[in-house]
Amino acid sequence: MSSSDDATPIRHSEAFPVRPPVSWVIFPHWPEDGDHWIHPDDRSKAEGLIPSDFIFRRELTDDDWYMLSYGDVHMKTRPVMVDEVPEPKFKMGEIVELAHQFEVDKIAIGTIYAIRYSEYHREPQYYLIRGELKSQNAYLAKDLRPYEPPKEFHAMHEFEP
């Protein structure tokens, strides 16, 4: 038997009998007064990312915290109000090429460095690094496709036994 004043910690299976699925969320507003909802070790990581339209991957951990991931940044939070958004088609760090190009001999490729939610389009937008330049233009998934090196590239770089 368990009561609300019982000092025994709630085990994961009791707190969340059905594990919530991974979700994709944004923090358009600071969810609560203070920062007690962020794990003490992670409070500095929220600066500049929350509030924003950056899309975080959110999943429940075994210790009943939510793990938020945005690229290389990972932080734990307690359950708070967030806005769920569609799952991005592409991931941070993924190499992509522009799907609609006029000059076929000049393939425009880049690496995704930011994924933000567009209220206007109601879907994720992607920002690319091309060479040393960070693009300020946002691209929708329909504008991009995964980059696949040309077949000649694979043949030139195969190793013989």
Side-chain angles (χ1 to χ4, degrees):
M1 284 196 251
S2 176
S3 67
S4 59
D5 58 351
D6 191 356
T8 307
I10 298 175
R11 291 189 10 225
H12 175 74
S13 60
E14 294 170 358
F16 293 97
V18 176
R19 187 178 194 92
V22 169
S23 58
W24 302 88
V25 301
I26 60 172
F27 290 83
H29 309 285
W30 194 259
E32 293 183 3
D33 289 337
D35 62 2
H36 62 279
W37 54 276
I38 304 171
H39 192 281
D41 296 340
D42 296 337
R43 290 186 176 139
S44 64
K45 296 177 184 179
E47 188 175 331
L49 292 176
I50 298 173
S52 73
D53 58 359
F54 292 114
I55 300 176
F56 291 88
R57 182 180 195 272
R58 182 179 75 163
E59 65 183 308
L60 189 65
T61 63
D62 290 335
D63 56 1
D64 293 339
W65 287 85
Y66 277 103
M67 177 62 71
L68 298 178
S69 302
Y70 184 78
D72 293 337
V73 177
H74 306 286
M75 66 181 113
K76 288 183 174 183
T77 68
R78 292 290 181 204
V80 291
M81 294 294 291
V82 295
D83 290 356
E84 287 198 26
V85 298
E87 179 179 352
K89 181 176 179 180
F90 300 101
K91 307 290 181 234
M92 297 275 277
E94 188 170 350
I95 299 173
V96 295
E97 65 180 273
L98 296 179
H100 309 291
Q101 300 178 68
F102 297 111
E103 297 182 46
V104 178
D105 59 331
K106 292 184 179 180
I107 297 174
I109 63 171
T111 303
I112 295 172
Y113 76 88
I115 305 173
R116 304 178 85 148
Y117 185 70
S118 167
E119 283 289 339
Y120 179 79
H121 294 287
R122 297 196 182 283
E123 65 178 282
Q125 291 182 313
Y126 305 89
Y127 293 82
L128 307 179
I129 295 175
R130 294 174 60 195
E132 295 294 316
L133 299 174
K134 286 186 173 182
S135 168
Q136 299 304 307
N137 296 334
Y139 298 94
L140 299 174
K142 68 180 178 69
D143 300 323
L144 304 172
R145 64 179 170 231
Y147 174 70
E148 294 183 25
K151 300 287 187 236
E152 311 83 64
F153 180 85
H154 289 299
M156 291 179 356
H157 292 83
E158 286 183 16
F159 296 103
E160 294 182 19

